[in-house]
Amino acid sequence: MTRIAFGSDHAGYELKQHLIARLADAGHEIIDCGTDSTDSVDYPEFCAAAARQVRDGHADVGIVMGGSGQGEQLAANKVRGARAALCNCLYTARMAREHNDANVLSIGARVVGLGLAEEIVDLFLSTEFEGGRHARRVDQLTALEAEF
């Protein structure tokens, strides 16, 4: 079982609800940080809230989504300790975990369909960090973050 924090804006709401239901049915613990409808909202508070759940140890990973996923990734990455990766394909989902130890997945709900989104999430959740030379680079990212 994985503890997963979700955050989205209105454009990502329907995909968020779909993924939450699917992952809850699979036995994962879900933390829904909003939004709660398709009414227009600003994404930063919801995506940062999901990233904070990861940072604070309440969630193992976060998943954020909006229209393109780009702003949502940016908002999550403003949270110290979050390593959010925009993954709208399987390759980037695998690399985000294997090489960057990403702990927040961002998806563009207007970019990928339900089936591909499910595959991206499954791959992200099942892929382990390789460590090795990549650990050194993740440590360098953490050091950069500590500068500010």
Side-chain angles (χ1 to χ4, degrees), residues 3-75:
R3 299 170 302 161
I4 307 167
F6 278 86
S8 76
D9 69 358
H10 53 283
Y13 173 76
E14 290 179 3
L15 178 59
K16 176 178 70 88
Q17 295 306 109
H18 174 79
L19 293 173
I20 284 174
R22 182 175 179 271
L23 293 169
D25 286 346
H28 298 287
E29 180 181 329
I30 304 299
I31 303 167
D32 187 351
C33 298
T35 189
D36 298 323
S37 75
T38 57
D39 294 340
S40 182
V41 295
D42 297 329
Y43 57 81
E45 70 177 278
F46 303 108
C47 298
R52 285 186 196 103
Q53 292 291 318
V54 175
R55 177 200 64 198
D56 295 343
H58 303 298
D60 302 307
V61 297
I63 300 176
V64 298
M65 58 206 71
S68 71
Q70 292 191 35
E72 294 73 21
Q73 174 203 22
L74 291 169

Side-chain angles (χ1 to χ4, degrees), residues 38-145:
T38 57
D39 294 340
S40 182
V41 295
D42 297 329
Y43 57 81
E45 70 177 278
F46 303 108
C47 298
R52 285 186 196 103
Q53 292 291 318
V54 175
R55 177 200 64 198
D56 295 343
H58 303 298
D60 302 307
V61 297
I63 300 176
V64 298
M65 58 206 71
S68 71
Q70 292 191 35
E72 294 73 21
Q73 174 203 22
L74 291 169
N77 274 323
K78 296 299 180 185
V79 174
R80 188 175 299 227
R83 286 181 306 282
L86 175 60
C87 303
N88 288 327
C89 72
L90 296 174
Y91 178 78
T92 54
R94 185 168 54 86
M95 290 294 103
R97 288 290 306 131
E98 282 184 359
H99 290 191
N100 305 118
D101 198 20
N103 55 13
V104 178
L105 168 64
S106 183
I107 300 175
R110 293 178 177 155
V111 178
V112 301
L114 285 181
L116 180 55
E118 290 174 356
E119 290 183 69
I120 290 168
V121 168
D122 290 347
L123 185 59
F124 188 87
L125 293 176
S126 66
T127 301
E128 296 292 326
F129 178 50
E130 280 186 1
R133 71 184 191 276
H134 305 296
R136 183 177 69 248
R137 295 166 185 161
V138 171
D139 289 344
Q140 291 171 11
L141 291 172
T142 303
L144 285 171
E145 187 176 60

